[in-house]
Amino acid sequence: MSGETAAVIRGRVYGTVQLRHTEGGTPAARFTVLQVPREYDRARGQWRDGEPVPVICTVTGPLAQHAAECLTDDVHVIATGNLALRAGLLHLDSAQVGVDLAHHVAYIDDNPARRPRRTCARPGTACGRGGPRARAPR
């Protein structure tokens, strides 16, 4: 779309993540991030929080499912995507969303049942971990 600008925003999730599915079955999630700018108050000689700016974020596909599963109200996030002004509101069509580790500890879901299985055309090659080209386990 025209009028979009690549952007990175940092802020807190405000409210709940709304998960829906398109007619084709693709998951789509929408949530609001409040970005609070920091402003320097010269009179007091210190930094202070400015007026919060709401940004409506939209994500699709597996990212939408992951966002709906792990993002809750007040979680600090960093999101990248295309920023556009629509009907007087800022919208970010997100390419990536992550928890801001400056504010939270994130735990990785290492459940093999949720991970896609890697298949190999030839057993014993590097991706099968059994042949001469196999890498040592980490």
Side-chain angles (χ1 to χ4, degrees):
M1 295 177 75
S2 64
E4 293 181 339
T5 303
V8 176
I9 64 164
R10 289 180 60 192
R12 291 187 320 237
V13 174
Y14 179 76
T16 59
V17 177
Q18 302 166 8
L19 180 64
R20 297 193 170 99
H21 290 81
T22 65
E23 289 181 15
T26 303
R30 180 178 169 151
F31 56 96
T32 301
V33 173
L34 287 181
Q35 184 173 7
V36 180
R38 299 282 290 164
E39 300 170 346
Y40 189 72
D41 185 343
R42 292 179 193 236
R44 294 184 181 174
Q46 62 187 16
W47 288 92
R48 66 178 180 86
D49 288 343
E51 192 66 33
V53 177
V55 180
I56 299 168
C57 296
T58 306
V59 294
T60 58
L63 179 56
Q65 291 178 303
H66 297 163
E69 186 174 327
C70 69
L71 297 181
T72 59
D73 188 39
D74 221 28
V75 169
H76 291 259
V77 295
I78 301 172
T80 65
N82 292 321
L83 188 66
L85 185 63
R86 298 183 199 134
L89 297 172
L90 288 174
H91 288 260
L92 184 75
D93 294 324
S94 300
Q96 297 176 342
V97 177
V99 174
D100 188 346
L101 296 178
H103 299 277
H104 303 284
V105 173
Y107 296 96
I108 306 303
D109 181 3
D110 202 20
N111 182 350
R114 293 181 56 144
R115 208 176 320 141
R117 293 192 77 162
R118 200 163 77 176
T119 59
C120 186
R122 292 180 292 149
T125 60
C127 67
R129 298 265 189 221
R133 293 177 24 211
R135 289 183 253 154
R138 295 183 201 185

